[in-house]
Every structure is written in structure tokens, then in C-alpha cells.
Amino acid sequence: VGAATAEQVVNLETEISECHAERRRMHNLVQELRGNVRVFARVRPFLPGDCADDDAQPCVLPNGESSMQLVVGGDQLQSHSFTFDRVFPQSTSQDAVFTEVSEFVQSALDGYNVCLFSYGQTGSGKTHTMQGSGSGQMRGIIPRSIEQVGKYKGKLERDRGWKYEMCVSFIEIYNETIRDLLREKENDEKKHEIKVNNQGRRYISDIKMIPLEPTNADAVEGIMHLAAKRRSVGATDMNATSSRSHSIFTLHLTAYHPENGQELRGSLNLVDLAGSERLDRSKATGDRAKEAMAINKSLSCLSDVFLAIGKKSSHIPFRNSKLTYLLQPALSGDGKSLMLVNLSPSESSVKRAFVAYGSLLK
């Protein structure tokens, strides 16, 4: 009876392992059918700085779950429609947004390279969407993603026998220069380069990698606080604390199953893009103007990559900027990418070209 029972246990464990592999395969198939590259749009509420009347209506109006209408022009109103994979109106909570993007986090846990971009003009709510604030309902995608990873990691280790190792890096790309946001010293002049190891994996030289237990909320908050202190910000007429760089929070995941020898490697890249802006509106001068030009150029390179992917071009210009070259694994092959376009509700901030940027990415 003991031998028979042992054999049954082995058979059941084999079935469980096969079911887990099938779940991974089916989840990935669903993601591919829905699109490995997707574009969402989110309209933020009016803020005091918008100087809007109490009864003001946003000039960008969601029309169903996947389309948006832009209404502009004083006496002669003009209406333009744009299509996205998903549209979030002003009333959408942080929790509802994360529910829609959480399947991308699942793909990273399953061993895929994943990238979530938060894009928009200065002051459109990009950093709020990605990082949020506090420890409650206003938390953004980054802390919520880590929480989801922690829950799933515990379940797989407890029920499936997997062993996970996780570490994080947090960098910014400022004027095409890579800076380590987790550096120990305020002024660290180390030069960081994007390199490829002998296994074909990209990495950044000489940056700090911090081992992370995702269920340790204090450790996560400490990392976010340190990165926020180090990030390059500056005042413009559009935003008193405008992000002047692209920040990339990366969760590096390695999973190993000691019994069957299977190994998974995934990465979750959460990117808060610098705010695109027009110099005539931001009134940026000197260094701020140079930053703005560098920001807009790199955003243009990112747009070129998405457009080339959408057209299934034989050549994708990944090497035109450090941002796209670093994130190439998530933007190609079986990688998964989501562009979340953040929109201000006021006509003075939303122009047709800006909204078209997000729509053309599809």
C-alpha cells in the first residue's frame, strides 16, 4: 500500500506540474491573441492648477471601452475619434487600472520580458499612475505589481515547489545618460553602459541590484523613496516638479524547480517616461530647454519603434535611443509591452497630435 501511495503521489505531482505548464501556455496564448503590444489611455480629473470652472467638461471623452473623442475649438467645435485597446475615464480608480494591467505582471512571473510604459505630457498624471502615493487606494502600478508578485511567489513556492529569487534595479535615462537611482552616494560619477552577456541577455554595467522580498512593504517603500530623491526633476511653467528623465524600475525574476530542473527568467520593466512638452508652453530655457529637446527626441524614437512594430517592418530602429535598445527584449519576440497614455482633461493641454501619438502606436 505504501509503494502504491507513493506512486500515486508522484503521478499527482506530475499532473500538477503539467497543469501549471499548460496554464502558462494558455495565458501566453491569450496575451498573444489580444496583442503583445497594446495601448491604453487614461484621462485624469481636473486639478486646481487647471483653473477650470466647477461645471467644466473634459475635452477628451471616452466613448465605450476602446475609443475616445477629442472635442476642440471655441465657437466651431471639432470632434476627432481615436481608438485604443482600453480607455479609462476620469472616474477610474488606481485599483481598476491595475486590474486591467495585472495580466502583464503575470506574464513576467511566467518567464517573459514585460514592459509597461506610462506616457503623457508634463502634468498629465504619469507618475501618479505608475507610482501613486501612500500605502492605500492611491498606490500606483509599481507597488501594486510588487504586491501581486509577492502573493503569487508565495503560492508557487508553497504549493508547486518553485524557488524564486528576485532583485530590483531602478535607473533613469537623462539626456541619453544612464544614472543609477539606487546609488549609495548622491554624486556617483560611474559610467553605466548597456551590454549583452554571453547568453544574449541585456544588462547595465555597474548598477546596484537590491535583493527584494516582495512581501516586505517597508523595503519596497524604502526603494521607492530613495529613487524619488535621486530622480531628476525641474520646474517649468507646466509643472513645478516636472520629471526630466525616463525612469525604469525593473524587477528581475528567476525561478527554479529543483525536482524537474526547469528554470524561468522574466523581467518586469515599469517605465515612467519623461513628460513630453512644447517649449512654447513650458517656457523652458537653458538646461531645461536642452532637456526638453532630448526628451522629445527619445520619445520620437520610441514612437518610431512602435510604428515599425505595428507595420511589421523588417527593420525596427531599436538602436536609435538607449531607452528602446535597453527594452528591446520586451518590445520584440515573445516580449509583452503596454503603453498607457495619460491625458489631461483641458483643451490647452490636449492637442490632436498628442492624442494621435498614442493611437498610432496600435
Side-chain angles (χ1 to χ4, degrees):
V1 177
T5 303
E7 184 178 351
Q8 288 176 337
V9 169
V10 170
N11 290 338
L12 287 172
E13 288 178 343
T14 300
E15 288 183 19
I16 290 172
S17 179
E18 290 174 351
C19 287
H20 178 62
E22 179 65 9
R23 191 225 32 96
R24 287 182 55 245
R25 190 186 73 80
M26 293 302 296
H27 179 78
N28 187 56
L29 178 61
V30 169
Q31 299 313 302
E32 290 182 345
L33 289 172
R34 296 183 67 182
N36 277 348
V37 177
R38 277 175 262 171
V39 183
F40 292 177
R42 182 185 193 185
V43 184
R44 72 158 170 78
F46 282 107
L47 298 175
D50 295 323
C51 300
D53 296 332
D54 292 340
D55 59 349
Q57 294 295 315
C59 69
V60 276
L61 303 170
N63 184 17
E65 292 190 347
S66 60
S67 65
M68 179 173 288
Q69 190 173 34
L70 171 64
V71 181
V72 294
D75 296 332
Q76 295 182 332
L77 295 178
Q78 295 182 331
S79 177
H80 309 278
S81 295
F82 301 91
T83 302
F84 297 85
D85 292 293
R86 186 73 166 85
V87 168
F88 302 107
Q90 288 179 299
S91 58
T92 307
S93 66
Q94 296 278 70
D95 184 59
V97 172
F98 183 71
T99 297
E100 289 293 324
V101 306
S102 61
E103 59 195 49
F104 286 87
V105 180
Q106 179 66 58
S107 291
L109 286 159
D110 285 344
Y112 295 93
N113 294 306
V114 176
C115 186
L116 307 182
F117 295 95
S118 185
Y119 169 81
Q121 277 191 318
T122 293
S124 61
K126 299 178 308 302
T127 301
H128 173 72
T129 292
M130 194 58 71
Q131 298 185 19
S133 59
S135 57
Q137 292 301 309
M138 300 305 286
R139 291 174 303 150
I141 289 175
I142 291 178
R144 290 173 184 270
S145 296
I146 296 173
E147 181 182 40
Q148 179 180 337
V149 166
K151 291 178 180 178
Y152 191 72
K153 169 182 176 289
K155 182 177 178 59
L156 284 180
E157 290 184 334
R158 182 177 61 254
D159 301 340
R160 301 288 187 265
W162 286 90
K163 302 296 181 184
Y164 270 88
E165 291 183 3
M166 302 182 183
C167 60
V168 298
S169 61
F170 211 156
I171 63 108
E172 68 174 351
I173 300 178
Y174 173 80
N175 286 354
E176 283 298 286
T177 299
I178 296 174
R179 294 177 173 177
D180 185 1
L181 294 177
L182 300 181
R183 62 187 183 270
E184 295 180 358
K185 297 179 181 179
E186 175 68 30
N187 298 315
D188 186 357
E189 301 302 324
K190 286 183 180 177
K191 188 174 182 180
H192 306 288
E193 300 290 345
I194 302 170
K195 298 185 177 181
V196 180
N197 64 18
N198 54 16
Q199 296 176 313
R201 295 192 181 94
R202 277 173 176 70
Y203 69 97
I204 301 174
S205 63
D206 298 318
I207 62 169
K208 188 171 183 178
M209 304 278 281
I210 299 180
L212 179 70
E213 172 50 57
T215 57
N216 187 339
D218 291 339
V220 174
E221 186 175 344
I223 289 171
M224 300 298 295
H225 179 71
L226 176 60
K229 279 202 327 183
R230 298 278 192 257
R231 191 173 181 192
S232 300
V233 297
T236 72
D237 276 14
M238 294 177 67
N239 192 346
T241 55
S242 173
S243 300
R244 314 307 294 169
S245 66
H246 308 308
S247 75
I248 306 173
F249 174 95
T250 303
L251 182 62
H252 308 265
L253 307 101
T254 301
Y256 177 71
H257 200 290
E259 292 185 10
N260 60 29
Q262 189 177 7
E263 184 175 283
L264 298 175
R265 285 181 178 270
S267 66
L268 179 63
N269 302 279
L270 303 173
V271 185
D272 182 8
L273 294 168
S276 66
E277 57 188 47
R278 289 168 47 184
L279 292 178
D280 61 340
R281 289 200 61 224
S282 67
K283 300 294 189 295
T285 59
D287 288 342
R288 294 287 174 266
K290 292 178 182 178
E291 292 167 355
M293 287 186 285
I295 290 167
N296 291 339
K297 181 180 178 181
S298 66
L299 290 174
S300 178
C301 291
L302 180 60
S303 178
D304 290 343
V305 165
F306 271 84
L307 287 168
I309 291 172
K311 294 177 180 177
K312 295 180 170 56
S313 301
S314 57
H315 172 68
I316 311 294
F318 291 113
R319 289 181 173 270
N320 286 1
S321 77
K322 288 187 176 179
L323 177 69
T324 53
Y325 183 55
L326 175 63
L327 298 174
Q328 182 177 348
L331 291 165
S332 58
D334 56 9
K336 325 288 179 193
S337 294
L338 168 66
M339 175 70 76
L340 183 51
V341 180
N342 296 268
L343 300 171
S344 166
S346 60
E347 182 177 338
S348 62
S349 293
V350 180
K351 300 299 180 183
R352 179 174 182 177
F354 170 57
V355 180
Y357 180 99
S359 188
L360 285 170
L361 294 178
K362 289 193 62 179

